[in-house]
Amino acid sequence: MNIVFITIVVITIIGIFAAVVLYFVAKRFHVYEDPKIGEIESCLPGANCGGCGRSGCHDFAVACANAKTLDDLACPVGGQETMSKISEIVGLSAKALSPQVAIIRCNGTCENRPHTSNYEGVGSCAIEGALYEGETDCIYGCLGGGDCVATCPYDAMSMNEETGLPIVDYSKCVGCGKCVQACPRHIPELVKRHEVMVYVACGNRDKGPLATKVCSVSCIGCGKCVRVCQHGAVKVTDFLARIDRDVCTACGECIVACPRHSILCKQKIED
């Protein structure tokens, strides 16, 4: 009986001593955290997608709480509503945000861009791209491994088995940019969300004759789109046409003029 009692007393004393030690250690090494950080983090989506350029929502909240200006800080997922709440918490003005979505800058379907080899390795664009140039002769086109689909935290992308290209569900896409980071060829691109969106679905920067050989809908930099655009929204650089969506009015003249059908249009993209 005495042994049991002594054991209980010893364990109790050890427990109390450990608690006291832990208390003073916690006090000694306590790190103060600005309460604004918790308030800001509660306003954020919590996806930790990294679309803001930070490692996660907590890191973004810390940056906002310590910032002298919010001009270089933005949460693409939360959008203007979230930034307005953060602005009130930190007492700084936030610049207006334009909602973004991802587009697929490749129309090299199986029909337009025939396969010239067969890849039997791991189903990953990053691995396939590192090993060789892909199953087609176009070194700029989509590899079809679906890395962008796998990394999307909002289930906004899927692979079209018929075309071999990714599809964006604009009702779910929030413009976080994870797909852009995952793609070794930068096929997805973030653009401002518009009701009607015109863009060049190609990234081929080779000269016309070579681009024509590898894909039937590749841009050849002929400049016809530039000449018909009355708003100066189209420019050709490195044999590739690009459309400035801040200037583009989606009139469609460039779509009609393109002899290669490289320019596509997405319509009625809902917020």
Side-chain angles (χ1 to χ4, degrees):
M1 188 68 178
N2 290 335
I3 295 176
V4 175
F5 178 75
I6 293 173
T7 303
I8 294 174
V9 171
V10 171
I11 293 175
T12 303
I13 293 173
I14 293 174
I16 294 173
F17 176 76
V20 172
V21 171
L22 289 174
Y23 171 79
F24 283 106
V25 169
K27 283 290 185 179
R28 175 66 179 81
F29 295 100
H30 172 71
V31 178
Y32 171 79
E33 184 173 84
D34 191 334
K36 290 181 181 178
I37 296 175
E39 293 182 54
I40 296 171
E41 195 167 0
S42 66
C43 299
L44 298 174
N48 293 312
C49 61
C52 58
R54 302 282 171 169
S55 60
C57 290
H58 181 75
D59 187 29
F60 179 75
V62 172
C64 289
N66 296 326
K68 295 181 179 179
T69 174
L70 296 178
D71 289 348
D72 297 325
L73 294 167
C75 174
V77 179
Q80 190 62 52
E81 182 180 353
T82 295
M83 291 309 299
S84 296
K85 292 179 181 178
I86 294 174
S87 176
E88 293 178 5
I89 294 172
V90 300
L92 298 171
S93 60
K95 64 180 181 181
L97 295 179
S98 298
Q100 293 184 310
V101 291
I103 58 170
I104 305 301
R105 290 181 51 247
C106 179
N107 194 29
T109 63
C110 300
E111 181 180 355
N112 296 331
R113 186 174 47 125
H115 286 198
T116 55
S117 62
N118 185 33
Y119 173 70
E120 296 182 349
V122 178
S124 166
C125 298
I127 296 175
E128 182 178 349
L131 292 175
Y132 80 131
E133 295 179 349
E135 295 182 312
T136 72
D137 291 335
C138 179
I139 62 173
Y140 303 96
C142 177
L143 290 164
D147 286 14
C148 53
V149 176
T151 195
C152 180
Y154 299 97
D155 194 29
M157 299 188 77
S158 60
M159 292 299 296
N160 186 319
E161 294 183 2
E162 184 177 342
T163 64
L165 298 174
I167 301 173
V168 180
D169 184 342
Y170 292 110
S171 66
K172 297 180 180 179
C173 180
V174 297
C176 70
K178 293 286 281 187
C179 57
V180 179
Q181 298 170 17
C183 180
R185 290 191 172 176
H186 310 293
I187 302 300
E189 179 183 352
L190 291 183
V191 299
K192 291 182 179 179
R193 181 187 290 262
H194 291 297
E195 282 297 315
V196 180
M197 195 166 58
V198 178
Y199 63 97
V200 180
C202 182
N204 196 317
R205 296 185 296 277
D206 290 331
K207 292 183 179 180
L210 183 56
T212 301
K213 289 181 180 179
V214 299
C215 182
S216 63
V217 292
S218 61
C219 176
I220 56 176
C222 65
K224 289 186 177 181
C225 50
V226 178
R227 291 190 287 274
V228 299
C229 182
Q230 301 178 20
H231 309 282
V234 191
K235 293 182 179 180
V236 174
T237 306
D238 295 331
F239 310 105
L240 179 65
R242 299 284 295 190
I243 297 175
D244 185 343
R245 276 167 287 275
D246 290 330
V247 181
C248 178
T249 61
C251 66
E253 292 293 332
C254 58
I255 299 175
V256 177
C258 180
R260 302 284 295 170
H261 307 292
S262 304
I263 304 177
L264 301 183
C265 176
K266 296 292 184 182
Q267 299 184 9
K268 296 181 180 180
I269 299 176
E270 303 294 339
D271 287 324

